[in-house]
Every structure is written in structure tokens, then in C-alpha cells.
Amino acid sequence: MAHSRIERILILAKTYPSPSSQYVETSCVAGITEQGCMRRLYPVPFRLVEDRRQFKKWQWVDVRVSKPASDRRPESHRIYVDTLECGSQITTKDDWIERRRWIDNSPSFGDFASLDTARLDSGLSLGILRPNRILCLDIQPSRSPHWTSEEREKLKKQQMELFSEADARRDMQDLRKIPHDFYYHYLCRTSEGDVEYRHKIVDWEIGALYWNCLRNHGKGWEAAFRRKIESELPARDLMFLMGNLHRFQDQWLIVSLIYPPKRAAGSAQGALF
């Protein structure tokens, strides 16, 4: 733990878990420190963390972190999960007044091109994007609707080192792969007019919404899913927490949807699911 320190971080993002050859399965977790510095935290095998250390979005955590040698992005920090302590969760009261304070304290952009320019200029790899308008949701079938044999081996091999064979099989089965990929098409306003972009959504809440819609509506899941993602969320003050990929840093994902009410609406945010 050389050069490590304890930081207090407000969690802003958790992505849907995926198999990892090194860390069993991981989620991308991102947040902001009390000092207003963005943080990408890993490894976080979230479903395998003991209950008292499982945190939610908009919850404060205290955890020991250090800078990894393998990831030079300024926001990326390794966390020591066994040091993690969960604190209070910021509520949506008073039209998100407290949450908005932290949103407004985060790097924020009105155009995706400006966000990517900041990456080129300073190495920025996490930031809030405020789209001008959502055009539509694009739902594409995943290249494979199930975990590949290689992905299943990653899950099983690493879990077998932590649990009994029966527990490993159960946890591997519990981590279901979403057989679809979800993309927002949206417009950003620029000095030269509106520009259209398309980015993949990997927010864990979107995955949970998919499974809930499938369970409640069966083959009619898509209409309910689209109603929430294409209509209800864009009716709010929808913004994206964007994060790029370590190996391909010019490629960005929507790692979290942030959807406070319109400032004049005077109504609190409802849950995605």
C-alpha cells in the first residue's frame, strides 16, 4: 500500500459487471472526492463484496486508494476493497439541491467534441456531458447473447479460488449477460449548429431496468424499456457521465445516466426501476 491514502468519494457511476481474467468480474465505478477531483475506481468485483461494503450511487464511501502504474489516466485509482466503509447517501430532496452541487462541481461539457478535446489536452477521461436533445434509443443484439466459453472460464477460474465449487457455479449463473447493447443517439448544440453523436450506455441501472422489464412484460419488454429511456428520462434534465476506455482512449461510453428534474419542474426524481 505504498503511496496510498484514504479518500472520501461520492459514487456517481456503477457499470454492469463483466468477466475479468484478473479480477473475477468487475464494474467500472466512478465518483468525485470532497475536493472535487474525479475518480475511476478498480478493481470492484461488486457482487462479491460483503454486504456491509456494497454501496449505491450517490453514496459517500471512505476507502484507501493509490495510483496504478498500469493506467496513467489521471482519474484512475486502485482501491483496496477491504478498507471500504460506506457512509450517508445524498437524497433527491429540494429538487436535487445537494446532488446538483456535486454535479456542478464536476468537469462538464455541452458538446462531446469539447469533452474529447479535453482528453487530448489534459488526459481527462471522465466528465459530464449535457446533451441538447435525445433523438432515439438504438437497441442492437449483442455479438453473443451469452457469455463466451472464454468469459465463462474467467468467471469460474477466479471464483473457484475464492469460493466452493457449488458457490462458484451459482455466482457464475447469477451474473446474466444482457443480450442487447443500448445506444443513445443525441444532439449537442455547437456554434456551428447541432451535431449528432451515438454512444453506448453501460450504466448498471440500465441493465437492471432491462431485466425488470423482461420479467414484468415478457416479449413486450421493449415498449416499456423504451418508454423509460426514450420518453421519461429525456423529459428530465438528462446528462451523461462519460468515461473512456483504457486501451482505446478515443472511445467513450456513457457510464452513468444522471437525471434530475428540470429546474423549474419542482418534482423529485423517480427511480429507474
Side-chain angles (χ1 to χ4, degrees):
M1 294 191 184
H3 307 296
S4 66
R5 63 195 179 279
I6 297 289
E7 288 193 335
R8 190 164 190 251
I9 299 169
L10 180 64
I11 302 300
L12 301 178
K14 292 192 302 181
T15 66
Y16 196 80
S18 60
S20 166
S21 58
Q22 188 174 1
Y23 302 121
V24 186
E25 61 177 70
T26 60
S27 300
C28 173
V29 174
I32 186 170
T33 69
E34 286 184 301
Q35 294 73 34
C37 300
M38 299 297 287
R39 290 287 182 261
R40 175 187 292 102
L41 307 173
Y42 71 91
V44 185
F46 187 79
R47 296 185 320 125
L48 310 181
V49 174
E50 58 187 306
D51 289 348
R52 71 183 181 91
R53 301 189 193 279
Q54 293 202 359
F55 49 82
K56 301 176 181 178
K57 285 171 66 173
W58 299 106
Q59 185 169 10
W60 286 102
V61 300
D62 293 282
V63 66
R64 183 170 294 279
V65 302
S66 64
K67 278 297 295 176
S70 59
D71 187 345
R72 296 184 179 276
R73 291 175 294 178
E75 301 88 352
S76 295
H77 284 68
R78 176 183 176 86
I79 74 167
Y80 300 87
V81 176
D82 60 345
T83 70
L84 194 150
E85 298 293 337
C86 296
S88 61
Q89 187 175 20
I90 297 179
T91 71
T92 61
K93 70 178 183 179
D94 297 328
D95 289 345
W96 277 50
I97 186 170
E98 181 65 11
R99 291 187 179 187
R100 281 189 183 275
R101 183 167 75 87
W102 291 101
I103 293 170
D104 293 342
N105 205 30
S106 305
S108 184
F109 302 86
D111 176 34
F112 172 73
S114 299
L115 171 70
D116 199 48
T117 297
R119 172 188 67 85
L120 295 171
D121 291 344
S122 66
L124 179 139
S125 66
L126 281 172
I128 288 177
L129 179 63
R130 301 173 185 265
N132 184 41
R133 182 159 63 94
I134 302 299
L135 295 176
C136 65
L137 177 72
D138 184 12
I139 301 178
Q140 296 289 331
S142 299
R143 284 184 294 179
S144 172
H146 307 289
W147 299 123
T148 65
S149 57
E150 180 182 3
E151 289 169 331
R152 291 179 64 83
E153 280 302 310
K154 288 178 182 179
L155 289 171
K156 183 177 179 181
K157 178 182 177 182
Q158 295 293 326
Q159 287 176 348
M160 287 287 286
E161 296 177 2
L162 299 175
F163 310 111
S164 69
E165 183 173 357
D167 287 340
R169 287 200 188 98
R170 183 197 64 228
D171 285 335
M172 181 173 66
Q173 292 169 352
D174 286 347
L175 181 57
R176 296 176 292 175
K177 182 174 183 180
I178 299 173
H180 307 280
D181 294 326
F182 308 114
Y183 300 82
Y184 259 144
H185 288 258
Y186 62 94
L187 295 177
C188 288
R189 180 168 295 165
T190 73
S191 59
E192 299 179 355
D194 286 345
V195 178
E196 181 176 345
Y197 299 100
R198 175 181 182 266
H199 282 101
K200 185 177 180 179
I201 311 168
V202 294
D203 190 331
W204 195 332
E205 287 187 346
I206 297 300
L209 176 65
Y210 166 76
W211 292 119
N212 284 345
C213 288
L214 185 64
R215 182 180 62 252
N216 295 332
H217 302 281
K219 292 182 179 179
W221 69 269
E222 186 173 332
F225 187 87
R226 284 187 178 277
R227 184 164 57 251
K228 178 65 72 172
I229 305 303
E230 284 188 314
S231 299
E232 294 183 23
L233 293 190
R236 297 176 178 273
D237 188 12
L238 179 63
M239 56 194 82
F240 310 147
L241 180 58
M242 304 290 292
N244 68 357
L245 301 178
H246 182 204
R247 292 182 59 194
F248 306 101
Q249 295 188 18
D250 60 339
Q251 296 183 24
W252 292 81
L253 300 170
I254 301 172
V255 298
S256 183
L257 297 176
I258 300 174
Y259 43 100
K262 298 282 189 183
R263 290 189 184 269
S267 58
Q269 171 187 10
L272 266 179
F273 50 90

